Amino acid sequence: MRKLFVGLSFLFFVFGFSQEKYPQDAFRSPVDIPMVLAGTFGELRSNHFHSGIDIKTQQREGLPIYAVADGSVTRIKVSLWGYGKVLYIAHPNGYTSVYGHLQKFAPKIQEFVKKLQYKKQAYEVEDFPDYAEIKVKKGEIIAYGGNTGGSSGPHLHFEIRSSISEKPTNPLLYGFEVRDATNPTLLKLYGFPLSDDARINQNKNTTAINFTRQQDGTFLADPVSATGTIGLGFVGYDRQDLAANHNGVYSVQQLVNGKVYTDYDFESFSFGETRYINTLIDYYHYGKYRQRIQRLYKAPGNRLSIYNKLENDGKIEVKEGLSYKVELLIKDYAGNETKAIIPIEGKTEPVKIDKDEEKTENYVIAKKPNNYDLGGAKVYFPANTFYDNFYIDLKTGEDTVTIHNNRVPAHRNFTITFDVSKYSEAEKKQMFIARLDSRLRPSHTSTYKRGNTFTTRTRYLGTYTLAKDTVAPKIRPKNFKEKQWLNNYHYLSLRITDDLSGIDTYSATLNGKWILMEYEPKTNTITYNFDDVILDEKECHLEVTVTDNVGNTNTFTSTFYRK
């Protein structure tokens, strides 16, 4: 009996421990101000889910950022885009915390990074320090909040990942406090006829469903008449009490006559699946209106792991003469809930609006490779570039090719190859492949030049052309003048710009020695901190060289004085 008791106790311990999925007291806040979110985990972003939370830093840079627990810095990266300046700290409990868009690192980490930058003579660097090489303690200042990388304003991007799988999880699962008593907001409802015989309110296309708010706070949709296989979708957002930001929701449920048909949440996901966001949303609608409809059914090509339950892939089989009560439950992490009820009647009514079909002479089979020769250009789509089959619209002009439009997402890179044999070698040196936006403005795409062909790899449909850049970048000082005394200056700043292909590289020397200049593309500014190098010479000669993406180069020289 004693052995049985011990065995049962052990099983109870293991089972009880497994239920505590995420430690609640292991981490402190990375900031010393109330945690107010500008972005939530799983929030719908361009081609990806948001992999952390964005913490407001009171609209300013320089806010101290703290290590959330004891650990060791295992990765440091400085880049122009993405997370900008970012730190990764591994903790003994098996988790790694991530801190992005930093203004600068704390002194001991900053010194480590500066040595690396001067050694490699590069601003953009990445390093993976040995475990325990840079130790930090819980509550230690590790950096200062900033706006570096692909940030649109000062904030801290914060993540918690598994140290083994690197899979991110929702940081709010670990006991961080965010004031939130506000229900999510429902903006729009939509119905999708999915089968050939399906229709919604006599319409065979995506249909908006009207709804009104009830006295109890729920939403009631106007009665919907339908038949065939249909799906539903919604547009909505969440908002915390102390912020006006339209953030992502945490969980969504769809019940049909009391049975759960769809249940998904943003507890965790892998980076390898994040681009499948383009199957969760109605991408055609997003491309046309820049608004994301979250589908409540699983569309073709969807390989997301966020679903807890799916009945018939979330699709509703509407039969003649039957009634259906659909309940949509949208929740935030705090448990605040918004509920919508959609009554559906199975009625086969005459179709008033037939299906909009854009048929062309070219039909893409998503699972097979597709190759098109358009005369002056060729387009190659590897197998599984797209999520579903569709009619593709291809057009050519002089040095221009239009590949459908921005309403179909590509999951994999495809290639566009231009024939440039009619151009001289001198002309080809200054040419590149550019993507045109809706206003026909060109932007540089990485162009691989080989003989008489230019090739680019991309995941964006649209219009591409051959462009020519003959103008070198411009360089001008921002905070100093020629032969000026700069005794009390802490930094040196210059503005660098390029009119077409964009800046590829830049470098600077002071009295012939390479110096680190931090580049901020959002303001077109490069900055040198005088603390980096102690100059013995009173007279200082600065030389800055900037090269664009086709090789046009400009050099700026100036002399200034310091005691």
Side-chain angles (χ1 to χ4, degrees):
M1 289 295 294
R2 178 176 174 80
K3 289 183 179 180
L4 178 62
F5 176 78
V6 172
L8 288 173
S9 299
F10 176 76
L11 288 175
F12 176 79
F13 171 78
V14 171
F15 179 77
F17 180 78
S18 68
Q19 297 308 296
E20 190 63 46
K21 240 176 142 178
Y22 304 101
Q24 297 299 293
D25 301 315
F27 302 120
R28 59 149 286 165
S29 173
V31 295
D32 57 3
I33 58 174
M35 192 177 282
V36 180
L37 303 187
T40 51
F41 183 85
E43 194 166 279
L44 309 183
R45 300 287 178 87
S46 180
N47 298 305
H48 70 284
F49 297 109
H50 191 224
S51 57
I53 56 175
D54 287 342
I55 303 171
K56 288 176 174 286
T57 56
Q58 300 177 334
Q59 299 181 327
R60 62 187 174 94
E61 298 186 46
L63 188 79
I65 305 300
Y66 300 90
V68 296
D70 293 355
S72 179
V73 176
T74 54
R75 184 182 179 190
I76 305 170
K77 188 174 183 180
V78 177
S79 59
L80 298 179
W81 305 108
Y83 293 164
K85 295 181 181 179
V86 58
L87 274 179
Y88 299 74
I89 298 176
H91 306 287
N93 59 3
Y95 295 100
T96 292
S97 54
V98 182
Y99 314 76
H101 306 306
L102 304 171
Q103 179 195 54
K104 61 181 179 180
F105 305 108
K108 69 178 180 182
I109 303 173
Q110 187 80 356
E111 182 182 358
F112 179 92
V113 174
K114 281 285 176 74
K115 285 182 180 179
L116 182 64
Q117 289 172 317
Y118 272 92
K119 179 181 178 181
K120 295 188 174 183
Q121 294 193 355
Y123 171 63
E124 291 189 280
V125 293
E126 183 175 16
D127 195 69
F128 299 85
D130 293 335
Y131 194 84
E133 183 178 356
I134 306 176
K135 290 183 178 180
V136 297
K137 300 294 291 183
K138 185 175 185 177
E140 179 182 340
I141 295 177
I142 54 172
Y144 298 88
N147 186 32
T148 57
S151 171
S152 58
H155 71 278
L156 172 68
H157 174 86
F158 177 69
E159 298 179 16
I160 294 181
R161 304 180 181 181
S162 162
S163 295
I164 298 174
S165 68
E166 296 188 350
K167 191 175 182 180
T169 50
N170 193 327
L172 297 185
L173 293 163
Y174 298 86
F176 295 108
E177 293 185 8
V178 176
R179 181 174 162 183
D180 187 0
T182 305
N183 291 339
T185 297
L186 176 65
L187 293 176
K188 294 184 179 181
L189 287 172
Y190 289 91
F192 299 85
L194 301 177
S195 59
D196 291 339
D197 64 335
R199 66 207 63 180
I200 298 173
N201 292 340
Q202 300 179 283
N203 190 341
K204 300 200 80 171
N205 300 293
T206 302
T207 305
I209 299 173
N210 296 322
F211 58 90
T212 54
R213 188 182 183 90
Q214 306 300 295
Q215 288 186 349
D216 63 357
T218 63
F219 295 93
L220 178 62
D222 294 349
V224 174
S225 66
T227 190
T229 304
I230 69 169
L232 297 176
F234 76 97
V235 178
Y237 64 86
D238 187 39
R239 188 177 67 79
Q240 280 77 45
D241 294 357
L242 301 177
N245 302 73
H246 291 186
N247 297 330
V249 303
Y250 176 69
S251 70
V252 178
Q253 279 190 327
Q254 175 189 226
L255 291 80
V256 181
N257 292 338
K259 185 177 183 178
V260 177
Y261 265 51
T262 308
D263 182 353
Y264 66 85
D265 62 44
F266 293 103
E267 176 183 326
S268 182
F269 59 84
S270 68
F271 287 109
E273 67 180 306
T274 189
R275 195 172 177 88
Y276 287 104
I277 184 178
N278 293 329
T279 62
L280 176 69
I281 66 172
D282 177 6
Y283 200 91
Y284 182 92
H285 184 91
Y286 172 70
K288 191 172 183 178
Y289 301 107
R290 312 312 291 175
Q291 185 181 61
R292 296 180 176 94
I293 302 173
Q294 293 190 51
R295 291 166 162 156
L296 300 174
Y297 63 94
K298 200 170 185 179
N302 184 334
R303 297 183 183 179
L304 290 171
S305 65
I306 61 174
Y307 298 98
N308 300 310
K309 184 173 182 180
L310 276 173
E311 179 74 22
N312 194 35
D313 280 343
K315 300 171 184 176
I316 306 169
E317 307 285 351
V318 180
K319 297 182 179 180
E320 178 74 26
L322 296 182
S323 299
Y324 304 82
K325 179 185 176 183
V326 179
E327 296 172 88
L328 170 61
L329 307 178
I330 308 169
K331 297 181 182 180
D332 60 23
Y333 181 77
N336 303 303
E337 179 182 277
T338 293
K339 181 177 181 179
I341 298 173
I342 306 116
I344 300 174
E345 293 293 329
K347 292 182 182 179
T348 305
E349 298 178 317
V351 174
K352 289 186 177 180
I353 304 176
D354 210 348
K355 188 175 181 180
D356 295 332
E357 287 191 289
E358 300 173 354
K359 289 189 176 182
T360 67
E361 60 182 29
N362 296 306
Y363 189 69
V364 170
I365 305 296
K367 292 184 178 180
K368 296 182 178 180
N370 295 265
N371 198 11
Y372 299 96
D373 190 339
L374 306 176
K378 295 179 180 179
V379 184
Y380 173 67
F381 301 109
N384 299 310
T385 297
F386 302 105
Y387 303 106
D388 201 4
N389 308 333
F390 70 103
Y391 286 97
I392 190 168
D393 187 20
L394 300 169
K395 299 175 183 176
T396 55
E398 186 177 357
D399 291 339
T400 300
V401 58
T402 297
I403 306 167
H404 207 68
N405 54 48
N406 66 344
R407 299 170 195 172
V408 174
H411 190 76
R412 299 180 60 186
N413 281 313
F414 60 93
T415 59
I416 307 168
T417 302
F418 282 90
D419 181 355
V420 294
S421 58
K422 64 183 179 181
Y423 293 101
S424 67
E425 292 302 315
E427 288 176 307
K428 283 188 278 189
K429 285 182 180 180
Q430 296 178 317
M431 293 175 65
F432 62 96
I433 299 175
R435 183 169 182 256
L436 302 181
D437 65 12
S438 58
R439 296 182 182 179
L440 302 181
R441 294 174 299 187
S443 60
H444 176 269
T445 64
S446 296
T447 304
Y448 305 92
K449 301 180 180 182
R450 186 175 182 179
N452 288 323
T453 61
F454 283 6
T455 300
T456 189
R457 299 178 74 242
T458 180
R459 286 194 284 197
Y460 296 96
L461 302 184
T463 300
Y464 292 81
T465 189
L466 291 174
K468 189 176 182 182
D469 185 355
T470 62
V471 180
K474 294 181 180 179
I475 310 168
R476 66 175 179 84
K478 286 186 68 174
N479 70 334
F480 68 98
K481 297 178 181 179
E482 175 70 10
K483 296 187 177 180
Q484 184 179 353
W485 282 89
L486 305 180
N487 293 338
N488 298 319
Y489 278 52
H490 297 290
Y491 65 91
L492 205 62
S493 184
L494 298 95
R495 179 178 171 84
I496 59 175
T497 57
D498 188 72
D499 71 326
L500 189 55
S501 64
I503 291 169
D504 181 29
T505 63
Y506 71 96
S507 64
T509 61
L510 203 54
N511 291 349
K513 295 182 179 180
W514 186 88
I515 58 172
L516 173 66
M517 300 207 80
E518 299 204 3
Y519 181 26
E520 178 48 81
K522 293 192 287 287
T523 59
N524 300 310
T525 301
I526 55 174
T527 303
Y528 166 69
N529 190 322
F530 280 117
D531 291 337
D532 284 1
V533 177
I534 298 174
L535 297 170
D536 294 330
E537 299 92 341
K538 179 176 67 175
E539 185 174 308
C540 305
H541 301 283
L542 174 70
E543 183 174 299
V544 178
T545 300
V546 181
T547 304
D548 66 20
N549 279 296
V550 295
N552 297 312
T553 298
N554 190 13
T555 298
F556 169 88
T557 59
S558 181
T559 299
F560 60 88
Y561 302 96
R562 275 176 69 86
K563 288 183 180 179

